[in-house]
Amino acid sequence: MRKLWIIAGLAAAMAVLHACKKETTTAPPPEVYNPTAKTITVPQYVINYLGEMPQPGDNPLTEEGVSLGRKLFYDKMLSNDRTMACATCHKQENGFDDFRQFSQGTNGAFGDRNAMPIINLGWADAFFWDGRRSTLEGQAHDPVTNPIEMANTWPEVVTRLQSHAEYPALFFKAFGTRTVDSNLVVKALAQFERTMVSFNTRFDKYFYQNDATALNASEQRGLMLFTGDALCNTCHMMNTLFTDHAFRNNGLDVNPADNGLMKFTGKADDRGKFKVPGLRNIAQTAPYMHDGRFATLEDVVNFYSSGVKQTSPNIDEHMPPFGNGLNLTAQDKADLVAFLKTLSDQEFLARKDLSDPN
Ligand code: HEC
Ligand code: HEC
């Protein structure tokens, strides 16, 4: 009996060997383009407020597209001297933001704006502090050729990716063609960015999931101030994103050095207006404001309490009460900061599928 088993085993092993041998001698099967649709899971209350995340008709999310975008986001090959990736200035542990006041390009020069976090941007329709791009795809074109960022040219990027050992096959899997071009690169990057969704915080548990114990007393008072006397939610709207996606002047300067939205529109009425940023993971995305002038959340709250310049050009209609001073007490300020810190999503900041795949 035992002998029989051994013979049967041997025969099976030989059959497998034979099959393997056969495999290597025949031509590989033709590649099939068959991407898998990817869905982004967000809590139902987010969909109730915002609707499903909009998807451009010509760039639907697929597993293969997102995975290619992730590889590209972390690939230093995109920069002229191969030292800088998107992730160099957009670090996951900092909410895909830069902890430096001004990012430094490959040529050593510094920009004059603070980098922006990449969080829940799938619902946004204006990008950069001055809103000069209207899609994530369009946005992703710019850093690659920006002389104070990656300082590369698109033909050079395409040549490098085309002659790479892995990329042409990955482009085929994602888009059905081995021919790399810049539009496919930015499509993949945008797909990956759309998966950067963050809603798993203590604030969400408290506010949307009715867990009364998720915030302590100070944090709860901070939330009351945020939506009440401190008027923060008139612009950082409680629509799950903490931004109304508008461009507004919150009164930082009497004479703004950076014209903000006016740089893009050319209209004097837009001078000093900047994109209202979302506030999720705000404790991780210091420094703050378009020029990174504030190092801490305490500095930000002090500014809103007593530093607003009411004579700033085109100051927002919601700002007048601030100009007269919000008169926040030390306790109020501490409560507001404590509340802002409950917007951190530890799962997002460490999510494996958003990390460097290499
Ligand atoms: C040298 C640092 C640097 C690199 C590299 C870089 N960025 Fe940025 N990013 C910035 C800065 C600074 C801004 C804000 C610039 C402005 O408003 O003019 C920004 C803005 C953005 C925004 C706009 C966010 C919003 O809320 O409007 C997105 C999205 C973004 N970057 C994605 C990328 C992608 C994708 C790459 C790689 C292709 C990349 N960045 C490479 C520094 C960098
Ligand atoms: C008039 C609308 C408005 C109101 C009201 C407002 N903000 Fe802002 N907030 C903005 C704008 C616009 C910016 C970006 C300004 C810039 O960089 O020039 C900003 C920036 C911030 C930032 C920095 C974000 C970053 O990524 O750098 C924080 C934090 C912040 N606000 C918190 C608050 C708090 C707390 C309150 C209430 C005390 C408040 N805001 C009230 C419009 C507003």
Side-chain angles (χ1 to χ4, degrees):
M1 194 60 191
R2 203 181 153 136
K3 218 167 169 185
L4 258 179
W5 276 116
I6 291 170
I7 289 168
L10 265 175
M14 277 167 73
V16 168
L17 269 176
H18 186 68
C20 290
K21 207 168 150 215
K22 217 166 145 193
E23 191 108 322
T24 54
T25 50
T26 53
E31 277 180 309
V32 203
Y33 172 54
N34 187 17
T36 314
K38 185 175 175 78
T39 43
I40 296 178
T41 314
V42 296
Q44 184 58 42
Y45 58 82
V46 173
I47 297 170
N48 295 347
Y49 272 89
L50 307 169
E52 298 280 355
M53 183 187 288
Q55 307 272 338
D58 65 349
N59 193 23
L61 278 197
T62 63
E63 296 287 349
E64 294 79 2
V66 169
S67 148
L68 172 60
R70 178 182 175 196
K71 191 171 166 66
L72 289 165
F73 189 86
Y74 284 94
D75 200 329
K76 295 181 174 166
M77 213 156 75
L78 266 55
S79 65
N80 63 339
D81 61 2
R82 300 173 194 263
T83 60
M84 181 173 291
C86 305
T88 308
C89 300
H90 297 281
K91 291 194 190 321
Q92 183 174 11
E93 66 267 31
N94 297 110
F96 294 98
D97 198 2
D98 196 341
F99 56 83
R100 299 170 293 184
Q101 180 175 15
F102 300 118
S103 311
Q104 195 171 17
T106 56
N107 66 359
F110 288 92
D112 57 2
R113 286 190 178 159
N114 185 228
M116 305 173 83
I118 307 177
I119 302 170
N120 300 335
L121 289 183
W123 285 275
D125 58 7
F127 301 91
F128 290 120
W129 284 109
D130 53 18
R132 64 187 182 275
R133 284 292 197 168
S134 61
T135 61
L136 278 171
E137 284 81 358
Q139 192 287 330
H141 273 285
D142 296 356
V144 171
T145 54
N146 187 329
I148 50 170
E149 294 187 351
M150 300 166 116
N152 211 339
T153 66
W154 274 111
E156 175 62 21
V157 172
V158 168
T159 305
R160 287 182 194 177
L161 295 173
Q162 196 69 71
S163 57
H164 189 268
E166 295 161 48
Y167 274 113
L170 297 176
F171 275 86
F172 182 83
K173 283 191 177 139
F175 299 114
T177 173
R178 292 181 147 267
T179 309
V180 177
D181 80 46
S182 60
N183 287 322
L184 298 181
V185 173
V186 299
K187 278 184 174 181
L189 284 168
Q191 284 194 37
F192 176 54
E193 290 175 296
R194 289 193 176 94
T195 68
M196 296 175 180
V197 291
S198 171
F199 298 100
N200 185 6
T201 72
R202 289 199 290 117
F203 158 76
D204 289 78
K205 291 193 176 68
Y206 179 83
F207 194 73
Y208 296 113
Q209 293 156 15
N210 300 318
D211 177 354
T213 63
L215 300 192
N216 67 30
S218 165
E219 293 160 349
Q220 290 183 28
R221 281 196 303 273
L223 170 58
M224 295 283 280
L225 280 165
F226 189 91
T227 56
D229 290 350
L231 301 169
C232 311
N233 71 322
T234 49
C235 304
H236 301 285
M237 253 170 76
M238 300 282 286
N239 57 357
T240 75
L241 296 182
F242 293 92
T243 171
D244 59 1
H245 286 137
F247 288 77
R248 302 179 185 276
N249 179 356
N250 62 349
L252 288 168
D253 299 298
V254 173
N255 194 8
D258 183 333
N259 283 337
L261 182 61
M262 181 186 166
K263 263 192 170 170
F264 167 55
T265 64
K267 293 189 192 146
D269 288 358
D270 290 333
R271 181 162 180 233
K273 294 183 185 171
F274 291 87
K275 180 171 174 172
V276 177
L279 299 179
R280 288 187 173 274
N281 302 290
I282 193 72
Q284 278 72 35
T285 64
Y288 304 107
M289 305 298 166
H290 66 271
D291 54 5
R293 68 178 65 189
F294 298 131
T296 65
L297 287 172
E298 284 76 6
D299 294 343
V300 171
V301 169
N302 276 328
F303 156 72
Y304 281 112
S305 181
S306 56
V308 171
K309 311 290 187 301
Q310 200 54 46
T311 56
S312 187
N314 308 306
I315 188 152
D316 195 78
E317 52 176 336
H318 297 108
M319 293 309 291
F322 292 79
N324 303 326
L326 277 181
N327 294 320
L328 298 178
T329 64
Q331 184 63 52
D332 290 341
K333 292 182 193 174
D335 292 343
L336 257 181
V337 170
F339 164 66
L340 291 170
K341 290 183 177 167
T342 69
L343 300 177
S344 294
D345 176 345
Q346 300 307 332
E347 186 203 13
F348 170 75
L349 296 164
R351 236 172 77 191
K352 257 252 93 41
D353 66 317
L354 298 179
S355 67
D356 189 346
N358 304 305

